[in-house]
């Protein structure tokens, strides 16, 4: 069982966003990561195979990376594709959906979730929305 399963929409056809993923690999997760984490990148069907393969490379050893090529272009449809076809409530303690321009303190996030909640419960939480 993973400590955290993360879903991230991935669009690699835009050079600006593609560079964001390179930065995300370096800076997206703050601090020492000692937890077991699964990341699902939900890509649209029109991404190049070499870009998808590159996205899988260069992650910390505690990350298990999977890129899912969906039949959908729209980001909301790709996210729902994960929830409909890939999410397994027994595969992780916690689930998180973020974008490639997010910086997350994994260690503190999991610590606070474990202190405040029981992972066997059913919760839906969000930060501030604008």
């Amino acid at each position: 069982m993973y400590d955290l399963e993360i879903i991230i929409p991935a669009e690699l056809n835009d050079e600006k966003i593609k560079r964001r993923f390179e930065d995300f690999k370096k800076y997206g997760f703050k601090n020492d990561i000692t937890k077991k984490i699964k990341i699902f990148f939900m890509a649209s069907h029109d991404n190049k195979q070499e870009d998808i393969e590159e996205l899988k490379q260069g992650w910390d050893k505690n990350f298990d990376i999977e890129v899912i090529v969906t039949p959908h272009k729209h980001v909301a449809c790709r996210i729902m594709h994960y929830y409909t076809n890939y999410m397994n409530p027994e595969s992780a303690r916690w689930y998180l959906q973020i974008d490639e321009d997010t910086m997350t303190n994994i260690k503190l996030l999991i610590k606070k979730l474990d202190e405040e909640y029981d992972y066997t419960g059913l919760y839906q939480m969000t930060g501030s929305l604008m």
Side-chain angles (χ1 to χ4, degrees):
M1 177 177 279
Y2 293 99
D3 292 295
L4 185 64
E5 188 167 297
I6 303 172
I7 174 178
I8 305 171
E11 185 59 58
L12 306 170
N13 289 324
D14 181 316
E15 286 301 316
K16 181 179 177 183
I17 294 176
K18 193 173 165 182
R19 280 193 308 275
R20 281 188 192 172
F21 278 102
E22 290 305 314
D23 291 340
F24 183 73
K25 284 181 191 181
K26 295 177 195 170
Y27 309 114
F29 299 108
K30 182 178 183 267
N31 72 17
D32 174 43
I33 299 184
T34 57
K35 302 293 185 184
K36 186 71 177 148
I37 299 166
K38 170 82 173 202
I39 299 179
F40 279 98
F41 288 104
M42 304 306 287
S44 59
H45 56 84
D46 58 349
N47 285 284
K48 297 177 198 154
Q49 187 60 37
E50 59 266 19
D51 291 338
I52 290 170
E53 291 304 317
E54 186 177 318
L55 183 58
K56 294 178 187 177
Q57 306 304 314
W59 294 93
D60 184 274
K61 64 178 170 45
N62 290 329
F63 288 104
D64 184 4
I65 305 297
E66 188 167 345
V67 178
I68 304 299
V69 177
T70 74
H72 310 289
K73 182 69 177 164
H74 194 281
V75 67
C77 295
R78 287 185 271 142
I79 292 167
M80 287 311 300
H81 189 83
Y82 162 80
Y83 288 119
T84 305
N85 299 293
Y86 291 93
M87 184 179 185
N88 174 356
E90 304 297 321
S91 65
R93 295 186 316 114
W94 300 107
Y95 299 83
L96 175 69
Q97 179 194 328
I98 57 176
D99 292 319
E100 82 287 342
D101 60 353
T102 303
M103 187 169 128
T104 305
N105 184 330
I106 295 289
K107 189 175 185 177
L108 184 59
L109 173 65
I110 293 174
K111 178 180 184 273
K112 290 296 185 184
L113 286 170
D114 286 339
E115 286 175 0
E116 300 291 328
Y117 305 97
D118 176 0
Y119 76 88
T120 62
L122 182 60
Y123 310 98
Q124 183 172 358
M125 297 175 262
T126 184
S128 298
L129 299 174
M130 294 188 200

